[in-house]
Amino acid sequence: MPSIHNVHALKVATAALHARPTKSILKLAGNKGNSTMLGLLTPPDSPLSRPNTSSKRQLTTDTKQKNADEPGDSEAGGREGISQPVSWKRFKELVDAGNLEPLGRSYSLQDKYEEYRAETMLKYGSMANYLTTHVLADFVAETKVPEFDPQAPLTSTDFMFRANDFPYYFSDNVEHWVLWCKKQLHPGFGAPEAAIRAIVDRFGSDVEWRYFVNPVKKQSVPQLSHAHVFVKYP
């Protein structure tokens, strides 16, 4: 008859033997599950994965990470949206001081922009490809003719206005326009004379407006020269 000590030792050994494979299987299953979740991302245009507000940011984060080293695919300002609208008075103070950081879209519109951007980049490879193929096709074509000289002085005909589909968040009735240019615009807050003429021709001389070109690292489409123009009617 085995001793009490031997029976206890046998029970401990048996328990340990049964515990090892159970622990190992759980560990492998957990690793496999994590690998599947991190390695596979259903395309956002699939009806199986229309992202909600919480998933949109994850989708955009994944896409930005994937395209982080691709030229021209930097996020505009890296902004995540703002909680409160900015008044026109405060906006002018910020722009005149050269401070763009407090500016941005509302949280809800920023989410929509990030979803749109992620889907567009998955389909076209870059925002520039989409814009030159669709939105700015005719405008860009004018730069391909032999007589176009990119080094010639700017004129008001070098510009095209287009309302920003995802404007900044204002408490006043402020219009946010993108001013596309056939020639290179330099980052900063001073509008060239030709741009001023284009703005006045488009909106009149009795409006208030502000102009700036983002630093290259904060431009959403650095391959295509553009400025931001904000207009406030009396």
Side-chain angles (χ1 to χ4, degrees), residues 5-158:
H5 175 76
N6 289 339
V7 170
H8 178 71
L10 180 60
K11 287 182 179 179
V12 171
T14 302
L17 182 62
H18 285 289
R20 286 193 192 101
T22 304
K23 182 178 180 181
S24 177
I25 291 170
L26 288 173
K27 183 176 180 181
L28 289 173
N31 288 342
K32 183 178 180 181
N34 290 339
S35 175
T36 302
M37 291 299 293
L38 295 175
L40 298 178
L41 180 64
T42 305
D45 54 349
S46 167
L48 297 177
S49 73
R50 275 293 162 188
N52 57 26
T53 300
S54 60
S55 64
K56 287 174 190 173
R57 293 190 182 278
Q58 182 60 47
L59 168 64
T60 307
T61 300
D62 293 341
T63 305
K64 285 190 290 186
Q65 181 64 35
K66 175 183 176 183
N67 296 284
D69 298 326
E70 295 184 10
D73 290 334
S74 59
E75 176 65 19
R79 300 186 181 98
E80 295 298 327
I82 57 177
S83 60
Q84 298 295 325
V86 177
S87 70
W88 177 245
K89 179 177 182 295
R90 177 58 176 157
F91 175 79
K92 291 188 295 182
E93 293 172 351
L94 290 168
V95 172
D96 292 347
N99 181 14
L100 302 179
E101 291 307 315
L103 306 176
R105 306 174 182 92
S106 65
Y107 285 143
S108 60
L109 192 59
Q110 183 67 26
D111 281 336
K112 292 179 181 179
Y113 168 74
E114 289 176 356
E115 180 184 11
Y116 158 81
R117 176 182 172 81
E119 292 181 351
T120 301
M121 289 179 66
L122 283 171
K123 184 174 182 179
Y124 292 93
S126 72
M127 295 300 294
N129 289 342
Y130 166 71
L131 289 168
T132 55
T133 302
H134 296 285
V135 180
L136 303 176
D138 293 340
F139 186 69
V140 171
E142 295 174 6
T143 68
K144 306 299 183 182
V145 297
E147 56 268 26
F148 177 74
D149 181 3
Q151 303 302 322
L154 278 171
T155 69
S156 58
T157 60
D158 288 323

